[in-house]
Amino acid sequence: SPLLSPAYFDPNANLNPNSYGYQADEYVVEATRLSEKFSAYNEIGDAWDDRSKILIVNLTILAVSLSLYGLSTTIKGFMRNAFIALGTLAAGVVVLWSGVTMLLPLPRLPEEAINAYADGMGLSWRGDYAGAIQHFDEALSLQPGYANALYERGNAYYYVGNYQAAAADYEASIRAGRTDTNVGWNLGWTYYLLGRFDDAIRVDRAALEQDPSLMGVRFNLALALMVNGQLDQARSEYQSGV
């Protein structure tokens, strides 16, 4: 078994095999890399789909514009000029809207940032959080606002005991678009550890609104309420959890 190779197991060390290192090398890094690429390509595909829908609308407006021009040839006087003006206005809207749509940048996540993030995940899986932070830093230098890298760097900071930096990264990952309950759960608990009980209560409640079945978050909320002196509310949350 590769797990018993010298890279992961020393029979003289009286220790278990390094299963986390084996998992990181065997599939964690590559699975993370492929998952991030898949998400990035999907995001680009969704952006092109949105563009195509806008262009279909523009073509419809252009068809109306051409119809107005055609109708203008069948009448005279004020109405003819009105049809020409409306057709010209519609055509101008199409040109402007299409131009803006095509000039807007597509979402792009550089492959180098994905690779740095995946390597950071491998190191984090091994428990090398300091090394993981360096790789997440590299990913964020290549792609500022990389939500997953911000979240995972927050986790790494949490495990090395830098709760202030962890909270800042969780907050930044939310601003970057990552709003799942994992972020809320971790951020709420980190606020609690920092003594920011009001913030912990607010974030825990928001996470429970997303998923009321999260028992860990409910008991964290109850604990924060209790320490914050809101005993009746804490008791209610404990009872709900039970």
Side-chain angles (χ1 to χ4, degrees), residues 141-169:
S141 70
L142 295 166
Q143 181 67 21
Y146 189 171
N148 286 347
L150 286 165
Y151 171 69
E152 294 296 346
R153 188 175 69 176
N155 287 339
Y157 276 130
Y158 172 87
Y159 284 118
V160 299
N162 190 342
Y163 301 135
Q164 197 70 47
D169 273 349

Side-chain angles (χ1 to χ4, degrees), residues 2 7 16 22 27 65 79 110 112 120-121 139 145-146 150 173 175 183:
N16 290 327
Y22 174 73
Y27 68 86
S65 172
M79 290 305 298
E112 296 84 356
M121 287 296 293
Y146 189 171
L150 286 165
S173 72
R175 291 193 297 271
V183 184

Side-chain angles (χ1 to χ4, degrees), residues 36-37 39-41 43-44 105-118 133-153 169 172-173 175-177:
E36 289 297 292
K37 285 184 178 181
S39 297
Y41 294 154
E43 192 173 355
I44 293 173
L106 289 170
R108 179 178 175 272
L109 183 56
E111 188 168 347
E112 296 84 356
I114 291 175
N115 291 337
Y117 169 73
I133 289 169
Q134 292 180 356
H135 280 80
F136 295 141
D137 286 344
E138 180 184 351
L140 287 163
S141 70
L142 295 166
Q143 181 67 21
Y146 189 171
N148 286 347
L150 286 165
Y151 171 69
E152 294 296 346
R153 188 175 69 176
D169 273 349
S173 72
R175 291 193 297 271

Side-chain angles (χ1 to χ4, degrees), residues 57-140:
V57 173
N58 288 337
L59 288 173
T60 304
I61 297 173
L62 185 60
V64 172
S65 172
L66 294 175
S67 298
L68 291 171
Y69 283 137
L71 288 171
S72 70
T73 64
T74 64
I75 55 178
K76 296 181 179 180
F78 171 77
M79 290 305 298
R80 179 182 184 182
N81 292 333
F83 277 30
I84 291 173
L86 287 173
T88 302
L89 178 62
V93 169
V94 168
V95 170
L96 181 61
W97 193 0
S98 299
V100 170
T101 299
M102 297 308 296
L103 287 174
L104 289 174
L106 289 170
R108 179 178 175 272
L109 183 56
E111 188 168 347
E112 296 84 356
I114 291 175
N115 291 337
Y117 169 73
D119 291 338
M121 287 296 293
L123 289 170
S124 184
W125 194 266
R126 290 173 176 270
D128 182 1
Y129 300 113
I133 289 169
Q134 292 180 356
H135 280 80
F136 295 141
D137 286 344
E138 180 184 351
L140 287 163

Side-chain angles (χ1 to χ4, degrees), residues 25-62:
D25 292 342
E26 189 69 16
Y27 68 86
V28 170
V29 172
E30 187 61 17
T32 301
R33 194 187 329 276
L34 293 175
S35 176
E36 289 297 292
K37 285 184 178 181
F38 179 78
S39 297
Y41 294 154
N42 270 349
E43 192 173 355
I44 293 173
D46 290 343
W48 276 111
D49 285 344
D50 291 340
R51 284 191 178 189
S52 68
K53 292 173 183 176
I54 292 173
L55 293 176
I56 289 171
V57 173
N58 288 337
L59 288 173
T60 304
I61 297 173
L62 185 60

